[in-house]
Amino acid sequence: MTRLVNGFSVICDIGYLSPVHTYSVNVIADDLDLPSNHLDTTYQFSTGSPCMPNFVIPITAYDSAAVVKTFTFRLGMDSLATEQYDASLDEIPPPPPSFYAYIQNPEDTLMSLHPWGYSKDMRNPCVEENAWHVYLGEYNTEAEHWLEWSVDDIPFDELWKLKIAVSPGPRPTDPAAYQDMTEISRISLEYSDTAYIVAKFWGAEEW
């Protein structure tokens, strides 16, 4: 507490503040005058959203038929990216001749114009959450399928996580269904499964 000419200044260290969060501070104070003066007021403030670094991750899909087939697609972050198709950043593949993997963006209102999805899909790093939906195409139903990547391609960031889950249905809502992509480099999936890759700020909740 610091004494001022017309009162006191109190500075409190309230520790770590989560980004993308609204906080309330209740200040209660009384002085020694007679009659005493009483202050009871609440202040609110919000913390901003951090941004992930720009990066691109190549991910290879495998189809282990008699002849192993592979297809590599890419996803990542770029400060110039939007939720729609960005001609200078995203890539739409031609009709593939055989096994392939493709990305769909549920936020892209023009997704119906890209029947083979994206082979490269960049997102804005300052958005609180980004989700890539990855599907397989022209697959062998009797083969084993998996996705593989290098953990070295994923930049370290203490406020964000890049995680993956596999499901035959809608995107899982249980955080326990997701695995940190810096801790594994491969995940198996059935030919009818969808891989959900999510980049999300994790400080404000379990993620």
Side-chain angles (χ1 to χ4, degrees):
M1 180 180 294
T2 303
R3 186 179 183 89
L4 305 177
V5 174
N6 59 345
F8 293 89
S9 171
V10 178
I11 300 176
C12 297
D13 182 1
I14 56 178
Y16 173 77
L17 297 178
S18 297
V20 199
H21 208 76
T22 298
Y23 291 89
S24 297
V25 178
N26 185 221
V27 178
I28 302 174
D30 294 278
D31 62 17
L32 299 178
D33 289 344
L34 294 175
S36 64
N37 297 296
H38 178 73
L39 172 69
D40 186 345
T41 187
T42 298
Y43 301 92
Q44 280 195 336
F45 64 94
S46 298
T47 52
S49 173
C51 297
M52 265 188 109
N54 292 351
F55 64 90
V56 180
I57 303 171
I59 299 176
T60 301
Y62 289 81
D63 178 293
S64 65
V67 176
V68 176
K69 299 177 182 179
T70 65
F71 185 92
T72 299
F73 59 93
R74 292 175 291 167
L75 57 84
M77 302 283 194
D78 190 290
S79 55
L80 299 178
T82 68
E83 292 181 343
Q84 307 296 327
Y85 171 69
D86 301 300
S88 62
L89 299 172
D90 300 327
E91 295 178 3
I92 300 173
S98 60
F99 171 72
Y100 65 102
Y102 62 98
I103 303 168
Q104 286 193 345
N105 177 5
E107 303 300 327
D108 186 352
T109 57
L110 302 177
M111 198 72 240
S112 61
L113 301 179
H114 317 311
W116 294 283
Y118 294 101
S119 57
K120 180 185 178 186
D121 187 9
M122 303 298 291
R123 305 290 181 80
N124 193 290
C126 297
V127 175
E128 185 177 351
E129 176 181 303
N130 279 296
W132 294 265
H133 297 191
V134 180
Y135 302 86
L136 301 179
E138 297 298 325
Y139 43 74
N140 183 329
T141 58
E142 302 299 323
E144 179 185 0
H145 305 91
W146 68 92
L147 303 178
E148 200 169 286
W149 60 92
S150 171
V151 297
D152 295 333
D153 291 330
I154 303 174
F156 170 78
D157 193 303
E158 62 182 7
L159 296 178
W160 288 77
K161 295 288 186 182
L162 188 66
K163 294 191 175 185
I164 187 169
V166 170
S167 170
R171 175 182 160 186
T173 57
D174 183 359
Y178 293 81
Q179 299 184 72
D180 192 327
M181 292 181 66
T182 63
E183 297 176 355
I184 61 172
S185 60
R186 167 177 167 159
I187 193 166
S188 297
L189 66 165
E190 298 294 332
Y191 62 87
S192 57
D193 284 342
T194 302
Y196 297 93
I197 298 175
V198 181
K200 183 177 179 181
F201 167 72
W202 67 280
E205 59 180 289
E206 181 184 357
W207 171 241

PDB file of all heavy atoms in Angstrom, residues 41-74:
ATOM      1  N   THR A  41     -17.563  -0.944  -5.266  1.00  0.00           N
ATOM      2  CA  THR A  41     -17.822  -0.875  -6.699  1.00  0.00           C
ATOM      3  C   THR A  41     -17.135  -2.030  -7.419  1.00  0.00           C
ATOM      4  O   THR A  41     -16.194  -2.626  -6.894  1.00  0.00           O
ATOM      5  CB  THR A  41     -17.338   0.471  -7.280  1.00  0.00           C
ATOM      6  OG1 THR A  41     -17.752   0.596  -8.644  1.00  0.00           O
ATOM      7  CG2 THR A  41     -15.818   0.563  -7.215  1.00  0.00           C
ATOM      8  N   THR A  42     -17.632  -2.343  -8.588  1.00  0.00           N
ATOM      9  CA  THR A  42     -17.097  -3.456  -9.373  1.00  0.00           C
ATOM     10  C   THR A  42     -16.624  -2.952 -10.731  1.00  0.00           C
ATOM     11  O   THR A  42     -17.331  -2.184 -11.405  1.00  0.00           O
ATOM     12  CB  THR A  42     -18.159  -4.552  -9.581  1.00  0.00           C
ATOM     13  OG1 THR A  42     -18.550  -5.076  -8.302  1.00  0.00           O
ATOM     14  CG2 THR A  42     -17.603  -5.697 -10.431  1.00  0.00           C
ATOM     15  N   TYR A  43     -15.436  -3.372 -11.103  1.00  0.00           N
ATOM     16  CA  TYR A  43     -14.877  -3.037 -12.408  1.00  0.00           C
ATOM     17  C   TYR A  43     -14.760  -4.322 -13.231  1.00  0.00           C
ATOM     18  O   TYR A  43     -14.464  -5.388 -12.698  1.00  0.00           O
ATOM     19  CB  TYR A  43     -13.485  -2.409 -12.262  1.00  0.00           C
ATOM     20  CG  TYR A  43     -13.468  -1.145 -11.441  1.00  0.00           C
ATOM     21  CD1 TYR A  43     -13.231  -1.191 -10.071  1.00  0.00           C
ATOM     22  CD2 TYR A  43     -13.692   0.098 -12.033  1.00  0.00           C
ATOM     23  CE1 TYR A  43     -13.213  -0.028  -9.303  1.00  0.00           C
ATOM     24  CE2 TYR A  43     -13.677   1.261 -11.274  1.00  0.00           C
ATOM     25  CZ  TYR A  43     -13.438   1.202  -9.909  1.00  0.00           C
ATOM     26  OH  TYR A  43     -13.432   2.334  -9.160  1.00  0.00           O
ATOM     27  N   GLN A  44     -15.007  -4.196 -14.514  1.00  0.00           N
ATOM     28  CA  GLN A  44     -14.861  -5.329 -15.419  1.00  0.00           C
ATOM     29  C   GLN A  44     -13.852  -5.003 -16.516  1.00  0.00           C
ATOM     30  O   GLN A  44     -13.765  -3.868 -16.966  1.00  0.00           O
ATOM     31  CB  GLN A  44     -16.197  -5.704 -16.071  1.00  0.00           C
ATOM     32  CG  GLN A  44     -17.112  -6.521 -15.199  1.00  0.00           C
ATOM     33  CD  GLN A  44     -18.239  -7.169 -16.007  1.00  0.00           C
ATOM     34  OE1 GLN A  44     -18.600  -6.693 -17.071  1.00  0.00           O
ATOM     35  NE2 GLN A  44     -18.796  -8.246 -15.483  1.00  0.00           N
ATOM     36  N   PHE A  45     -13.089  -6.013 -16.907  1.00  0.00           N
ATOM     37  CA  PHE A  45     -12.188  -5.848 -18.033  1.00  0.00           C
ATOM     38  C   PHE A  45     -12.046  -7.193 -18.742  1.00  0.00           C
ATOM     39  O   PHE A  45     -12.278  -8.253 -18.162  1.00  0.00           O
ATOM     40  CB  PHE A  45     -10.809  -5.342 -17.577  1.00  0.00           C
ATOM     41  CG  PHE A  45     -10.059  -6.285 -16.686  1.00  0.00           C
ATOM     42  CD1 PHE A  45      -9.140  -7.187 -17.205  1.00  0.00           C
ATOM     43  CD2 PHE A  45     -10.272  -6.278 -15.306  1.00  0.00           C
ATOM     44  CE1 PHE A  45      -8.453  -8.060 -16.392  1.00  0.00           C
ATOM     45  CE2 PHE A  45      -9.584  -7.153 -14.478  1.00  0.00           C
ATOM     46  CZ  PHE A  45      -8.664  -8.038 -15.013  1.00  0.00           C
ATOM     47  N   SER A  46     -11.697  -7.133 -20.011  1.00  0.00           N
ATOM     48  CA  SER A  46     -11.550  -8.341 -20.821  1.00  0.00           C
ATOM     49  C   SER A  46     -10.141  -8.428 -21.377  1.00  0.00           C
ATOM     50  O   SER A  46      -9.544  -7.400 -21.750  1.00  0.00           O
ATOM     51  CB  SER A  46     -12.563  -8.360 -21.974  1.00  0.00           C
ATOM     52  OG  SER A  46     -13.890  -8.368 -21.491  1.00  0.00           O
ATOM     53  N   THR A  47      -9.610  -9.630 -21.408  1.00  0.00           N
ATOM     54  CA  THR A  47      -8.299  -9.851 -22.009  1.00  0.00           C
ATOM     55  C   THR A  47      -8.487 -10.241 -23.473  1.00  0.00           C
ATOM     56  O   THR A  47      -9.501 -10.815 -23.845  1.00  0.00           O
ATOM     57  CB  THR A  47      -7.538 -10.969 -21.278  1.00  0.00           C
ATOM     58  OG1 THR A  47      -8.377 -12.132 -21.209  1.00  0.00           O
ATOM     59  CG2 THR A  47      -7.163 -10.542 -19.875  1.00  0.00           C
ATOM     60  N   GLY A  48      -7.540  -9.925 -24.283  1.00  0.00           N
ATOM     61  CA  GLY A  48      -7.638 -10.183 -25.710  1.00  0.00           C
ATOM     62  C   GLY A  48      -7.253 -11.603 -26.071  1.00  0.00           C
ATOM     63  O   GLY A  48      -6.950 -12.444 -25.221  1.00  0.00           O
ATOM     64  N   SER A  49      -7.272 -11.874 -27.359  1.00  0.00           N
ATOM     65  CA  SER A  49      -6.934 -13.205 -27.867  1.00  0.00           C
ATOM     66  C   SER A  49      -5.526 -13.209 -28.432  1.00  0.00           C
ATOM     67  O   SER A  49      -5.173 -12.338 -29.226  1.00  0.00           O
ATOM     68  CB  SER A  49      -7.926 -13.618 -28.958  1.00  0.00           C
ATOM     69  OG  SER A  49      -7.530 -14.821 -29.564  1.00  0.00           O
ATOM     70  N   PRO A  50      -4.707 -14.170 -28.032  1.00  0.00           N
ATOM     71  CA  PRO A  50      -3.377 -14.281 -28.625  1.00  0.00           C
ATOM     72  C   PRO A  50      -3.477 -14.914 -30.011  1.00  0.00           C
ATOM     73  O   PRO A  50      -4.533 -15.409 -30.393  1.00  0.00           O
ATOM     74  CB  PRO A  50      -2.645 -15.215 -27.657  1.00  0.00           C
ATOM     75  CG  PRO A  50      -3.746 -16.096 -27.137  1.00  0.00           C
ATOM     76  CD  PRO A  50      -4.966 -15.219 -27.042  1.00  0.00           C
ATOM     77  N   CYS A  51      -2.416 -14.871 -30.739  1.00  0.00           N
ATOM     78  CA  CYS A  51      -2.396 -15.472 -32.069  1.00  0.00           C
ATOM     79  C   CYS A  51      -1.352 -16.576 -32.105  1.00  0.00           C
ATOM     80  O   CYS A  51      -0.287 -16.456 -31.509  1.00  0.00           O
ATOM     81  CB  CYS A  51      -2.059 -14.437 -33.138  1.00  0.00           C
ATOM     82  SG  CYS A  51      -3.273 -13.111 -33.284  1.00  0.00           S
ATOM     83  N   MET A  52      -1.688 -17.648 -32.797  1.00  0.00           N
ATOM     84  CA  MET A  52      -0.703 -18.697 -33.040  1.00  0.00           C
ATOM     85  C   MET A  52       0.296 -18.208 -34.069  1.00  0.00           C
ATOM     86  O   MET A  52      -0.020 -17.324 -34.871  1.00  0.00           O
ATOM     87  CB  MET A  52      -1.387 -19.952 -33.581  1.00  0.00           C
ATOM     88  CG  MET A  52      -1.743 -20.982 -32.539  1.00  0.00           C
ATOM     89  SD  MET A  52      -2.342 -22.518 -33.305  1.00  0.00           S
ATOM     90  CE  MET A  52      -0.980 -23.614 -32.978  1.00  0.00           C
ATOM     91  N   PRO A  53       1.483 -18.781 -34.091  1.00  0.00           N
ATOM     92  CA  PRO A  53       2.422 -18.426 -35.159  1.00  0.00           C
ATOM     93  C   PRO A  53       1.965 -19.006 -36.493  1.00  0.00           C
ATOM     94  O   PRO A  53       1.176 -19.945 -36.535  1.00  0.00           O
ATOM     95  CB  PRO A  53       3.736 -19.080 -34.691  1.00  0.00           C
ATOM     96  CG  PRO A  53       3.301 -20.204 -33.804  1.00  0.00           C
ATOM     97  CD  PRO A  53       2.056 -19.713 -33.116  1.00  0.00           C
ATOM     98  N   ASN A  54       2.432 -18.418 -37.568  1.00  0.00           N
ATOM     99  CA  ASN A  54       2.153 -18.970 -38.892  1.00  0.00           C
ATOM    100  C   ASN A  54       2.917 -20.276 -39.075  1.00  0.00           C
ATOM    101  O   ASN A  54       4.079 -20.380 -38.684  1.00  0.00           O
ATOM    102  CB  ASN A  54       2.561 -17.984 -39.984  1.00  0.00           C
ATOM    103  CG  ASN A  54       1.685 -16.745 -39.999  1.00  0.00           C
ATOM    104  OD1 ASN A  54       0.667 -16.671 -39.323  1.00  0.00           O
ATOM    105  ND2 ASN A  54       2.066 -15.763 -40.793  1.00  0.00           N
ATOM    106  N   PHE A  55       2.280 -21.283 -39.669  1.00  0.00           N
ATOM    107  CA  PHE A  55       2.954 -22.552 -39.919  1.00  0.00           C
ATOM    108  C   PHE A  55       2.187 -23.350 -40.960  1.00  0.00           C
ATOM    109  O   PHE A  55       1.019 -23.068 -41.248  1.00  0.00           O
ATOM    110  CB  PHE A  55       3.096 -23.376 -38.635  1.00  0.00           C
ATOM    111  CG  PHE A  55       1.783 -23.804 -38.024  1.00  0.00           C
ATOM    112  CD1 PHE A  55       1.193 -25.012 -38.379  1.00  0.00           C
ATOM    113  CD2 PHE A  55       1.151 -23.014 -37.078  1.00  0.00           C
ATOM    114  CE1 PHE A  55      -0.018 -25.412 -37.824  1.00  0.00           C
ATOM    115  CE2 PHE A  55      -0.059 -23.407 -36.520  1.00  0.00           C
ATOM    116  CZ  PHE A  55      -0.636 -24.603 -36.885  1.00  0.00           C
ATOM    117  N   VAL A  56       2.841 -24.338 -41.547  1.00  0.00           N
ATOM    118  CA  VAL A  56       2.214 -25.270 -42.480  1.00  0.00           C
ATOM    119  C   VAL A  56       2.644 -26.677 -42.097  1.00  0.00           C
ATOM    120  O   VAL A  56       3.836 -26.926 -41.869  1.00  0.00           O
ATOM    121  CB  VAL A  56       2.626 -24.998 -43.940  1.00  0.00           C
ATOM    122  CG1 VAL A  56       1.947 -26.006 -44.875  1.00  0.00           C
ATOM    123  CG2 VAL A  56       2.265 -23.583 -44.348  1.00  0.00           C
ATOM    124  N   ILE A  57       1.686 -27.600 -41.999  1.00  0.00           N
ATOM    125  CA  ILE A  57       1.984 -28.979 -41.629  1.00  0.00           C
ATOM    126  C   ILE A  57       1.575 -29.921 -42.760  1.00  0.00           C
ATOM    127  O   ILE A  57       0.403 -29.987 -43.117  1.00  0.00           O
ATOM    128  CB  ILE A  57       1.222 -29.394 -40.353  1.00  0.00           C
ATOM    129  CG1 ILE A  57       1.540 -28.467 -39.200  1.00  0.00           C
ATOM    130  CG2 ILE A  57       1.563 -30.826 -39.970  1.00  0.00           C
ATOM    131  CD1 ILE A  57       0.653 -28.706 -38.001  1.00  0.00           C
ATOM    132  N   PRO A  58       2.528 -30.647 -43.351  1.00  0.00           N
ATOM    133  CA  PRO A  58       2.126 -31.692 -44.293  1.00  0.00           C
ATOM    134  C   PRO A  58       1.704 -32.948 -43.526  1.00  0.00           C
ATOM    135  O   PRO A  58       2.367 -33.372 -42.585  1.00  0.00           O
ATOM    136  CB  PRO A  58       3.398 -31.944 -45.112  1.00  0.00           C
ATOM    137  CG  PRO A  58       4.517 -31.314 -44.357  1.00  0.00           C
ATOM    138  CD  PRO A  58       3.961 -30.465 -43.266  1.00  0.00           C
ATOM    139  N   ILE A  59       0.576 -33.525 -43.920  1.00  0.00           N
ATOM    140  CA  ILE A  59       0.060 -34.749 -43.305  1.00  0.00           C
ATOM    141  C   ILE A  59      -0.180 -35.754 -44.423  1.00  0.00           C
ATOM    142  O   ILE A  59      -0.811 -35.427 -45.429  1.00  0.00           O
ATOM    143  CB  ILE A  59      -1.243 -34.486 -42.527  1.00  0.00           C
ATOM    144  CG1 ILE A  59      -0.992 -33.471 -41.403  1.00  0.00           C
ATOM    145  CG2 ILE A  59      -1.807 -35.782 -41.953  1.00  0.00           C
ATOM    146  CD1 ILE A  59      -2.236 -33.086 -40.634  1.00  0.00           C
ATOM    147  N   THR A  60       0.312 -36.961 -44.243  1.00  0.00           N
ATOM    148  CA  THR A  60       0.190 -37.981 -45.276  1.00  0.00           C
ATOM    149  C   THR A  60      -0.827 -39.033 -44.868  1.00  0.00           C
ATOM    150  O   THR A  60      -0.770 -39.572 -43.757  1.00  0.00           O
ATOM    151  CB  THR A  60       1.545 -38.649 -45.560  1.00  0.00           C
ATOM    152  OG1 THR A  60       2.482 -37.648 -45.985  1.00  0.00           O
ATOM    153  CG2 THR A  60       1.417 -39.694 -46.667  1.00  0.00           C
ATOM    154  N   ALA A  61      -1.772 -39.297 -45.766  1.00  0.00           N
ATOM    155  CA  ALA A  61      -2.758 -40.354 -45.562  1.00  0.00           C
ATOM    156  C   ALA A  61      -2.268 -41.618 -46.257  1.00  0.00           C
ATOM    157  O   ALA A  61      -1.709 -41.562 -47.356  1.00  0.00           O
ATOM    158  CB  ALA A  61      -4.101 -39.928 -46.137  1.00  0.00           C
ATOM    159  N   TYR A  62      -2.473 -42.776 -45.605  1.00  0.00           N
ATOM    160  CA  TYR A  62      -2.009 -44.064 -46.130  1.00  0.00           C
ATOM    161  C   TYR A  62      -3.187 -45.004 -46.336  1.00  0.00           C
ATOM    162  O   TYR A  62      -4.111 -45.050 -45.519  1.00  0.00           O
ATOM    163  CB  TYR A  62      -1.014 -44.708 -45.171  1.00  0.00           C
ATOM    164  CG  TYR A  62       0.332 -44.038 -45.112  1.00  0.00           C
ATOM    165  CD1 TYR A  62       0.520 -42.896 -44.328  1.00  0.00           C
ATOM    166  CD2 TYR A  62       1.419 -44.547 -45.822  1.00  0.00           C
ATOM    167  CE1 TYR A  62       1.770 -42.280 -44.259  1.00  0.00           C
ATOM    168  CE2 TYR A  62       2.661 -43.937 -45.761  1.00  0.00           C
ATOM    169  CZ  TYR A  62       2.826 -42.804 -44.981  1.00  0.00           C
ATOM    170  OH  TYR A  62       4.058 -42.197 -44.934  1.00  0.00           O
ATOM    171  N   ASP A  63      -3.116 -45.767 -47.418  1.00  0.00           N
ATOM    172  CA  ASP A  63      -4.059 -46.848 -47.709  1.00  0.00           C
ATOM    173  C   ASP A  63      -3.203 -48.087 -47.967  1.00  0.00           C
ATOM    174  O   ASP A  63      -2.487 -48.165 -48.968  1.00  0.00           O
ATOM    175  CB  ASP A  63      -4.899 -46.497 -48.944  1.00  0.00           C
ATOM    176  CG  ASP A  63      -5.874 -47.603 -49.322  1.00  0.00           C
ATOM    177  OD1 ASP A  63      -5.424 -48.689 -49.742  1.00  0.00           O
ATOM    178  OD2 ASP A  63      -7.089 -47.363 -49.231  1.00  0.00           O
ATOM    179  N   SER A  64      -3.246 -49.039 -47.021  1.00  0.00           N
ATOM    180  CA  SER A  64      -2.330 -50.188 -47.090  1.00  0.00           C
ATOM    181  C   SER A  64      -2.929 -51.345 -47.876  1.00  0.00           C
ATOM    182  O   SER A  64      -3.086 -52.451 -47.362  1.00  0.00           O
ATOM    183  CB  SER A  64      -1.965 -50.650 -45.673  1.00  0.00           C
ATOM    184  OG  SER A  64      -3.119 -51.134 -45.006  1.00  0.00           O
ATOM    185  N   ALA A  65      -3.273 -51.093 -49.111  1.00  0.00           N
ATOM    186  CA  ALA A  65      -3.748 -52.167 -49.983  1.00  0.00           C
ATOM    187  C   ALA A  65      -2.541 -52.996 -50.423  1.00  0.00           C
ATOM    188  O   ALA A  65      -1.443 -52.872 -49.876  1.00  0.00           O
ATOM    189  CB  ALA A  65      -4.484 -51.573 -51.179  1.00  0.00           C
ATOM    190  N   ALA A  66      -2.718 -53.867 -51.424  1.00  0.00           N
ATOM    191  CA  ALA A  66      -1.603 -54.683 -51.921  1.00  0.00           C
ATOM    192  C   ALA A  66      -0.430 -53.791 -52.322  1.00  0.00           C
ATOM    193  O   ALA A  66       0.732 -54.107 -52.076  1.00  0.00           O
ATOM    194  CB  ALA A  66      -2.065 -55.532 -53.094  1.00  0.00           C
ATOM    195  N   VAL A  67      -0.777 -52.660 -52.919  1.00  0.00           N
ATOM    196  CA  VAL A  67       0.212 -51.611 -53.185  1.00  0.00           C
ATOM    197  C   VAL A  67      -0.159 -50.430 -52.298  1.00  0.00           C
ATOM    198  O   VAL A  67      -1.264 -49.890 -52.411  1.00  0.00           O
ATOM    199  CB  VAL A  67       0.200 -51.188 -54.666  1.00  0.00           C
ATOM    200  CG1 VAL A  67       1.158 -50.038 -54.901  1.00  0.00           C
ATOM    201  CG2 VAL A  67       0.559 -52.374 -55.562  1.00  0.00           C
ATOM    202  N   VAL A  68       0.733 -50.063 -51.393  1.00  0.00           N
ATOM    203  CA  VAL A  68       0.437 -48.973 -50.465  1.00  0.00           C
ATOM    204  C   VAL A  68       0.303 -47.668 -51.230  1.00  0.00           C
ATOM    205  O   VAL A  68       1.172 -47.298 -52.026  1.00  0.00           O
ATOM    206  CB  VAL A  68       1.535 -48.854 -49.390  1.00  0.00           C
ATOM    207  CG1 VAL A  68       1.250 -47.651 -48.491  1.00  0.00           C
ATOM    208  CG2 VAL A  68       1.619 -50.127 -48.570  1.00  0.00           C
ATOM    209  N   LYS A  69      -0.807 -46.982 -51.001  1.00  0.00           N
ATOM    210  CA  LYS A  69      -1.048 -45.695 -51.644  1.00  0.00           C
ATOM    211  C   LYS A  69      -0.972 -44.587 -50.595  1.00  0.00           C
ATOM    212  O   LYS A  69      -1.376 -44.791 -49.443  1.00  0.00           O
ATOM    213  CB  LYS A  69      -2.418 -45.686 -52.324  1.00  0.00           C
ATOM    214  CG  LYS A  69      -2.566 -46.731 -53.416  1.00  0.00           C
ATOM    215  CD  LYS A  69      -3.970 -46.711 -54.002  1.00  0.00           C
ATOM    216  CE  LYS A  69      -4.148 -47.778 -55.067  1.00  0.00           C
ATOM    217  NZ  LYS A  69      -5.517 -47.787 -55.634  1.00  0.00           N
ATOM    218  N   THR A  70      -0.476 -43.442 -51.009  1.00  0.00           N
ATOM    219  CA  THR A  70      -0.367 -42.311 -50.095  1.00  0.00           C
ATOM    220  C   THR A  70      -0.892 -41.049 -50.769  1.00  0.00           C
ATOM    221  O   THR A  70      -0.946 -40.952 -51.996  1.00  0.00           O
ATOM    222  CB  THR A  70       1.087 -42.068 -49.645  1.00  0.00           C
ATOM    223  OG1 THR A  70       1.877 -41.682 -50.791  1.00  0.00           O
ATOM    224  CG2 THR A  70       1.674 -43.304 -49.002  1.00  0.00           C
ATOM    225  N   PHE A  71      -1.271 -40.110 -49.924  1.00  0.00           N
ATOM    226  CA  PHE A  71      -1.692 -38.800 -50.418  1.00  0.00           C
ATOM    227  C   PHE A  71      -1.353 -37.787 -49.334  1.00  0.00           C
ATOM    228  O   PHE A  71      -1.730 -37.977 -48.173  1.00  0.00           O
ATOM    229  CB  PHE A  71      -3.186 -38.758 -50.728  1.00  0.00           C
ATOM    230  CG  PHE A  71      -3.640 -37.463 -51.353  1.00  0.00           C
ATOM    231  CD1 PHE A  71      -3.675 -37.314 -52.732  1.00  0.00           C
ATOM    232  CD2 PHE A  71      -4.021 -36.387 -50.558  1.00  0.00           C
ATOM    233  CE1 PHE A  71      -4.088 -36.113 -53.306  1.00  0.00           C
ATOM    234  CE2 PHE A  71      -4.433 -35.191 -51.121  1.00  0.00           C
ATOM    235  CZ  PHE A  71      -4.471 -35.058 -52.505  1.00  0.00           C
ATOM    236  N   THR A  72      -0.641 -36.726 -49.705  1.00  0.00           N
ATOM    237  CA  THR A  72      -0.236 -35.714 -48.731  1.00  0.00           C
ATOM    238  C   THR A  72      -1.040 -34.433 -48.919  1.00  0.00           C
ATOM    239  O   THR A  72      -1.144 -33.910 -50.028  1.00  0.00           O
ATOM    240  CB  THR A  72       1.265 -35.409 -48.850  1.00  0.00           C
ATOM    241  OG1 THR A  72       2.013 -36.602 -48.578  1.00  0.00           O
ATOM    242  CG2 THR A  72       1.684 -34.326 -47.858  1.00  0.00           C
ATOM    243  N   PHE A  73      -1.624 -33.980 -47.837  1.00  0.00           N
ATOM    244  CA  PHE A  73      -2.323 -32.695 -47.834  1.00  0.00           C
ATOM    245  C   PHE A  73      -1.667 -31.801 -46.786  1.00  0.00           C
ATOM    246  O   PHE A  73      -0.859 -32.259 -45.971  1.00  0.00           O
ATOM    247  CB  PHE A  73      -3.818 -32.881 -47.541  1.00  0.00           C
ATOM    248  CG  PHE A  73      -4.115 -33.531 -46.218  1.00  0.00           C
ATOM    249  CD1 PHE A  73      -4.358 -32.774 -45.083  1.00  0.00           C
ATOM    250  CD2 PHE A  73      -4.156 -34.924 -46.101  1.00  0.00           C
ATOM    251  CE1 PHE A  73      -4.636 -33.369 -43.864  1.00  0.00           C
ATOM    252  CE2 PHE A  73      -4.437 -35.537 -44.885  1.00  0.00           C
ATOM    253  CZ  PHE A  73      -4.674 -34.752 -43.768  1.00  0.00           C
ATOM    254  N   ARG A  74      -2.000 -30.521 -46.796  1.00  0.00           N
ATOM    255  CA  ARG A  74      -1.358 -29.577 -45.884  1.00  0.00           C
ATOM    256  C   ARG A  74      -2.401 -28.671 -45.236  1.00  0.00           C
ATOM    257  O   ARG A  74      -3.406 -28.311 -45.858  1.00  0.00           O
ATOM    258  CB  ARG A  74      -0.338 -28.718 -46.636  1.00  0.00           C
ATOM    259  CG  ARG A  74       0.881 -29.487 -47.125  1.00  0.00           C
ATOM    260  CD  ARG A  74       1.795 -28.619 -47.956  1.00  0.00           C
ATOM    261  NE  ARG A  74       1.163 -28.274 -49.234  1.00  0.00           N
ATOM    262  CZ  ARG A  74       1.614 -27.325 -50.058  1.00  0.00           C
ATOM    263  NH1 ARG A  74       2.673 -26.617 -49.720  1.00  0.00           N
ATOM    264  NH2 ARG A  74       0.990 -27.081 -51.206  1.00  0.00           N
TER     265      ARG A  74
END
